[in-house]
């Protein structure tokens, strides 16, 4: 039986993948809304393209606008889409000891069959990167999204009970069922279950608790955790609970996890209520980190922490407020394809 391993995001990439916004929900109701979305996606894409190859899935109708705004080095792949969160609708790439690339195709059902979501096309969007990469397709019966898992590359995974055990995703599944499927598809040896995600992400237009806005691995044995310092925000309690749980957890190699707190912005609310602005939702790529900024006093402090935990990588910031207003962040719109063979370490 083939043993697959999901490399850490910090391992060298062959390329990154994204999808270009084209749906009404992402583009909004006005030309100004659409321009705001395209500007945000293009800023992230062009920053990535300066450091590694990038492929962009785009609808035939959106191709001209994408080409106008994107670096000429970015490769376009036309396909129908419902939305543009390729972390969630794309494949999760894995490798094996024989040097083969695999692509896990999770079932996607609109983040747990959300009433506002459509997923006719997004349910098949992972096929684009799978085919173009030449990866071995690995079908999974589990409803899951790429934003719902994080790994250290050595078999330790972070998940949340509100995602993989969501009745709208996997009714009747137990933790054991989820862990067995993660072991088969992505090489999980130890799964650390967080009880929930951030407050805003649990509301109407959220994912019900994706881990990639809460905590991530910076290297084996070390985790970076969202830290809401203001007790007036409901995420103050959430982030304390998560940090305490992780500080008491061990990884697949038996090491106690070392926790670094990454403070939240001072901005607490927007027109819709409490925000879930998070610097944890960054993308690590070859030689760099593309990090969120929010025109907030904490932006500089967060960038300094990211530079310290990812030594040797340039920290590039992009204004993520337009992304978060639409339900996600920089990590949510990106997906890495690991280099073969996966070399590990810092590229």
């Amino acid at each position: 039986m083939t043993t697959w391993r999901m490399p850490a995001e910090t391992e060298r990439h062959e390329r990154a993948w994204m999808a270009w916004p084209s749906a009404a929900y992402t583009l909004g109701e006005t030309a100004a809304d659409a321009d705001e979305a395209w500007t945000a996606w293009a800023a992230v894409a062009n920053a990535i393209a300066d450091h590694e190859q990038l492929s962009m899935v785009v609808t035939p109708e959106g191709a001209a606008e994408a080409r106008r705004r994107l670096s000429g080095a970015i490769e376009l792949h036309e396909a129908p889409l419902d939305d543009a969160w390729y972390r969630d609708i794309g494949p999760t790439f894995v490798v094996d000891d024989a040097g083969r690339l695999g692509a896990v195709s999770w079932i996607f059902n609109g983040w747990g069959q959300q009433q506002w979501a459509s997923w006719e096309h997004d349910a098949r969007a992972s096929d684009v990167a799978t085919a173009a990469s030449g990866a071995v397709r690995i079908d999974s019966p589990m409803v899951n999204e790429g934003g719902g898992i994080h790994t250290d590359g050595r078999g330790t995974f972070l998940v949340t009970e509100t995602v993989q055990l969501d009745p709208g995703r996997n009714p009747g599944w137990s933790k054991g069922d989820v862990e067995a499927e993660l072991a088969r598809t992505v090489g999980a040896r130890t799964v650390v279950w967080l009880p929930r995600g951030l407050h805003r992400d649990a509301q109407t237009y959220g994912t019900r608790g994706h881990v990639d806005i809460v905590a991530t691995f910076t290297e084996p044995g070390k985790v970076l955790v969202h830290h809401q310092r203001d007790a007036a925000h409901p995420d103050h309690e959430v982030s304390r609970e998560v940090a305490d749980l992780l500080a008491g957890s061990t990884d697949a190699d038996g090491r106690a996890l070392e926790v670094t707190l990454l403070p939240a912005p001072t901005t607490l609310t927007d027109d819709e209520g409490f925000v879930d602005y998070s610097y944890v939702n960054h993308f690590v790529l070859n030689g760099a980190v593309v990090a969120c900024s929010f025109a907030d006093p904490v932006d500089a402090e967060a960038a300094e922490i990211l530079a310290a935990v990812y030594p040797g990588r340039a920290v590039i910031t992009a204004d993520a407020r337009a992304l978060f207003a639409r339900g996600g962040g920089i990590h949510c719109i990106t997906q890495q394809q690991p280099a073969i063979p996966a070399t590990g370490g810092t590229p």
Side-chain angles (χ1 to χ4, degrees):
M1 180 181 293
T2 301
T3 300
W4 297 105
R5 177 183 73 90
M6 181 180 173
E9 195 171 307
T10 52
E11 296 181 47
R12 190 158 190 86
H13 302 174
E14 174 67 27
R15 67 177 58 244
W17 285 85
M18 294 178 63
W20 187 247
S22 56
Y25 173 70
T26 305
L27 296 183
E29 298 178 356
T30 68
D33 290 338
D35 180 72
E36 181 182 67
W38 287 327
T39 298
W41 258 260
V44 174
N46 290 331
I48 292 171
D50 286 340
H51 293 271
E52 67 186 41
Q53 292 180 297
L54 174 65
S55 293
M56 181 76 70
V57 184
V58 59
T59 64
E61 300 79 21
E65 188 67 39
R67 181 51 68 207
R68 187 171 73 85
R69 293 174 179 261
L70 297 176
S71 162
I74 296 173
E75 183 180 89
L76 301 187
H77 296 261
E78 291 190 11
L81 293 166
D82 294 292
D83 220 324
W85 309 99
Y86 209 66
R87 173 70 53 177
D88 294 346
I89 64 177
T92 295
F93 286 104
V94 293
V95 298
D96 71 1
D97 290 339
R100 294 190 303 166
L101 181 69
V104 181
S105 178
W106 311 108
I107 295 175
F108 179 76
N109 72 348
W111 301 279
Q113 305 178 68
Q114 303 268 25
Q115 290 185 345
W116 50 265
S118 61
W119 57 91
E120 176 187 359
H121 302 304
D122 284 355
R124 300 190 298 273
S126 67
D127 295 349
V128 180
T130 300
S133 66
V136 177
R137 181 184 174 113
I138 304 161
D139 286 305
S140 174
M142 186 166 71
V143 177
N144 190 40
E145 303 93 35
I149 57 175
H150 255 316
T151 185
D152 63 353
R154 297 182 57 83
T156 312
F157 281 78
L158 305 179
V159 300
T160 50
E161 295 180 10
T162 54
V163 172
Q164 284 79 15
L165 300 181
D166 175 15
R169 287 177 168 95
N170 300 300
W173 284 52
S174 67
K175 287 185 177 179
D177 295 331
V178 173
E179 291 173 4
E181 183 61 7
L182 291 174
R184 182 185 75 86
T185 54
V186 292
R189 296 189 291 139
T190 294
V191 178
V192 180
W193 289 88
L194 307 185
R196 53 180 170 159
L198 300 187
H199 172 79
R200 176 75 163 260
D201 198 30
Q203 305 310 304
T204 301
Y205 295 106
T207 70
R208 298 181 180 154
H210 271 184
V211 73
D212 70 348
I213 202 172
V214 183
T216 187
F217 289 100
T218 57
E219 60 181 277
K222 297 184 179 181
V223 289
L224 197 59
V225 180
H226 179 74
H227 178 46
Q228 177 52 256
R229 295 185 284 203
D230 194 320
H233 196 299
D235 286 337
H236 177 74
E237 177 61 24
V238 175
S239 60
R240 183 202 60 78
E241 182 180 16
V242 168
D244 288 349
L245 185 151
L246 289 171
S249 300
T250 55
D251 67 12
D253 294 319
R255 285 172 297 211
L257 294 179
E258 178 183 325
V259 173
T260 297
L261 300 179
L262 186 59
T266 60
T267 304
L268 300 183
T269 62
D270 64 8
D271 292 341
E272 303 298 324
F274 288 110
V275 296
D276 54 2
Y277 291 172
S278 172
Y279 300 105
V280 170
N281 198 265
H282 55 269
F283 182 52
V284 184
L285 61 155
N286 296 342
V289 178
V290 182
C292 299
S293 65
F294 303 98
D296 190 275
V298 180
D299 287 353
E301 181 184 357
E304 289 178 1
I305 293 172
L306 291 171
V309 298
Y310 297 114
R313 298 181 197 262
V315 177
I316 305 157
T317 59
D319 191 329
R321 287 174 293 175
L323 298 175
F324 277 79
R326 290 161 173 79
I330 288 174
H331 195 258
C332 306
I333 64 174
T334 55
Q335 180 62 272
Q336 69 275 5
Q337 178 185 325
I340 299 294
T343 57
T346 301

